Amino acid sequence: MEESKLQREFKERDVQRMRNIIKKDYSAKTTTQIGYTKVQAEHKEGDIWDEGGKQWTFKNGVKQTVTRFDKLKESILLPLTCPKCSKAMKNHHLNKKMWPIHKTCFDCVITMETELKRTGQYEAYVRDLTTRGIRTYVKDLEDALLEIALMDSNEDFVTEAGDIEKWAGKGVDTKKMTEDLQEYIQKIKDHINP
């Protein structure tokens, strides 16, 4: 019994699609449709448009949806090389820590901090980093305060066993807790902005 080398038989449209991709002609059609034709807008690489209630883009020859998390993923994901010095980013574990803060590799951060120390600007740089960290902390506290303010004191919770438990906010004075948190946040803001 002779085994087939290809498990799938390629159709003409598959071959034509590969030809179009190789030629970088991403918008070329591979089949002909008879009857109803939808108005087709021509899009080029990098275009962004709205269609059917979604936002779309054309990247690397593929039509993709644009999600609200694209910018978040882009800011978190470590690139292959440092945008400043073009060294590989994957070979050092500290690059993962420096990328979200400085958008460069660890070596570039060390070089920049050394230059700041040499010119006497390092203390201001550290102060600025600390202030940004405190502002992020204050923002997180304000978000928690908002969540407490919107929280229902008699919520139902489902346990891992599937039982429904009603937790009453007995003994918790949310008004006092909210006032205390607001006072604490204001003290931190006053300390940051003298």
Side-chain angles (χ1 to χ4, degrees), residues 52-111:
K54 286 186 175 181
Q55 210 173 28
W56 296 87
T57 186
F58 215 62
K59 287 184 182 175
N60 301 324
V62 179
K63 180 179 169 184
Q64 301 175 358
T65 59
V66 176
T67 66
R68 61 185 176 176
F69 299 116
D70 284 348
K71 289 186 180 178
L72 176 67
K73 283 192 271 186
E74 188 176 298
S75 70
I76 293 173
L77 289 177
L78 196 64
L80 293 176
T81 61
C82 175
K84 193 169 185 179
C85 68
S86 300
K87 289 182 185 173
M89 293 280 281
K90 300 287 183 190
N91 61 356
H92 201 290
H93 69 281
L94 292 174
N95 289 336
K96 291 179 184 174
K97 293 183 180 186
M98 292 300 125
W99 176 252
I101 301 168
H102 299 285
K103 301 294 184 223
T104 60
C105 68
F106 179 69
D107 292 340
C108 289
V109 172
I110 294 297
T111 304

Side-chain angles (χ1 to χ4, degrees), residues 129-155:
L129 273 181
T130 306
T131 304
R132 281 193 285 163
I134 293 171
R135 285 192 179 127
T136 302
Y137 175 67
V138 168
K139 172 90 172 78
D140 291 344
L141 280 177
E142 289 174 337
D143 291 345
L145 182 64
L146 180 63
E147 193 173 315
I148 289 171
L150 298 175
M151 183 174 67
D152 183 13
S153 63
N154 295 319
E155 292 187 27

